[in-house]
Structure formats: C-alpha cells, structure tokens
Amino acid sequence: GSPRAHQAVSIGDLNPDTFREIVGEFEAQAASLHLPDDGARQLRADMATVKVQIDLPTPDHYTIRERLQSARAILEHATGGEAATGLLDLLRNLHF
C-alpha cells in the first residue's frame, strides 16, 4: 500500500509452454470443433488474445487466465465432439 511497495504474484501452473500447448491444440482442432457461430467466433478471439499475450516479453497473466476461462466455458456448453473434448481436457487441467 505504500508508493514504493513491491508485489509478487504466483499464478499456479499457468506458464508459457502450457499456453502454447493449448493454442496449438486449438489451431489443430479448430475446424472440427462444431460450435455455434457466436461460440466459435468468441473462442477464436479468446485464443488469438492468448496467442498475442504469450508472445509478449511480459504477458498479462490476468488476461490469459480470463480468456482461457472464457474458452473453457464455451467448450463446456458445446454439444460435444472429440476435438472439443480434447481441448476442454487441457483447459480443465489448469488451476486458475
């Protein structure tokens, strides 16, 4: 709370390699996810945001966490499909 105070934050297992794995899986499976148009657009936007963030010198972990939570919610409400299940499994293994 003071002007020169320093804070350190640890965000569990959120690391760039995990982000890259999730984005890579999404890019590999995107065409076969079978989502409604609005869900597909939002999921693409979420993954694009994560991809931009992981390429930054200091990624915003809060933004990444929010976008991955959004992606998980979209996939949890999806009608199914093997590709959606595989990506959802990756997202469920993250501890936000």
Side-chain angles (χ1 to χ4, degrees):
S2 66
R4 296 186 196 263
H6 178 75
Q7 282 186 323
V9 178
S10 174
I11 315 260
D13 66 351
L14 296 180
N15 67 61
D17 292 334
T18 302
F19 305 150
R20 285 183 184 90
E21 179 183 2
I22 291 168
V23 170
E25 182 69 21
F26 168 74
E27 289 174 342
Q29 303 293 336
S32 58
L33 288 175
H34 306 296
L35 297 171
D37 288 342
D38 58 334
R41 278 192 303 275
Q42 183 62 51
L43 186 58
R44 281 193 304 273
D46 290 339
M47 291 296 106
T49 300
V50 171
K51 189 173 183 176
V52 166
Q53 285 294 317
I54 61 177
D55 289 335
L56 294 174
T58 49
D60 181 347
H61 289 266
Y62 180 77
T63 298
I64 293 169
R65 181 177 53 223
E66 279 191 332
R67 296 304 88 217
L68 292 179
Q69 286 174 328
S70 171
R72 184 170 64 188
I74 291 166
L75 291 168
E76 284 174 341
H77 292 99
T79 57
E82 192 173 315
T85 302
L87 187 55
L88 183 56
D89 287 344
L90 281 174
L91 291 167
R92 283 186 176 152
N93 288 325
L94 291 177
H95 303 285
F96 296 114

